[in-house]
């Protein structure tokens, strides 16, 4: 019971999103506030579901600009797509500092 209470306390109020791993096609879960990534859905919190209208906002350190990637279509563009769901995965990159952020072995930068 203590483990459950600690787990809920750690994840409560966090920004969890479901994303599709480009390498495996499997769902994974990322916390935009903490940068934590995991294969299992966190228990007891609201999770934003993955969809074909979901685009990742990532940061390109070479240009200093954000770019956008759709993991369902594998399309990448520089201009922010309109009328779609944008997940600011650049928050994960920012938390990792200058080194690329890894999410279960997948580099998101």
């Amino acid at each position: 019971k203590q483990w459950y209470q600690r787990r809920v306390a750690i994840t409560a109020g966090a920004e969890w999103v479901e994303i599709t791993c480009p390498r495996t096609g499997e769902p994974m879960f990322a916390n935009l506030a903490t940068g934590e990534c995991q294969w299992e859905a966190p228990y007891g919190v609201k999770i934003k579901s993955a969809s074909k209208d979901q685009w990742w906002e990532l940061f390109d350190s070479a240009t200093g600009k954000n770019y956008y990637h759709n993991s369902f279509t594998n399309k990448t563009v520089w201009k922010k797509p309109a009328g779609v769901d944008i997940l600011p995965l650049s928050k994960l990159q920012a938390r990792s500092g200058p080194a690329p952020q890894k999410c279960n072995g997948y580099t998101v930068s």
Side-chain angles (χ1 to χ4, degrees):
K1 189 172 179 175
Q2 286 180 333
W3 175 85
Y4 168 77
Q5 289 172 338
R6 278 186 30 220
R7 178 90 173 150
V8 171
I10 291 169
T11 58
E15 301 175 57
W16 284 96
V17 295
E18 177 186 10
I19 59 177
T20 302
C21 178
R23 189 180 61 207
T24 66
E26 296 292 320
M28 65 167 73
F29 303 89
N31 182 315
L32 299 179
T34 67
E36 179 184 357
C37 293
Q38 60 192 48
W39 289 110
E40 294 183 21
Y43 184 76
V45 297
K46 185 177 178 181
I47 301 169
K48 185 175 226 168
S49 297
S51 75
K52 292 182 181 179
D53 287 332
Q54 184 182 80
W55 287 74
W56 301 356
E57 179 182 69
L58 298 161
F59 182 75
D60 178 45
S61 59
T63 63
K65 296 181 180 181
N66 287 330
Y67 65 96
Y68 303 88
H69 176 76
N70 183 308
S71 66
F72 282 89
T73 64
N74 210 28
K75 183 175 182 180
T76 302
V77 297
W78 287 103
K79 186 176 178 182
K80 186 174 186 175
V84 298
D85 190 19
I86 304 290
L87 298 180
L89 295 186
S90 54
K91 288 183 180 182
L92 296 179
Q93 292 173 295
R95 293 208 178 277
S96 70
Q101 172 69 33
K102 295 220 181 238
C103 191
N104 289 317
Y106 175 71
T107 303
V108 295
S109 60

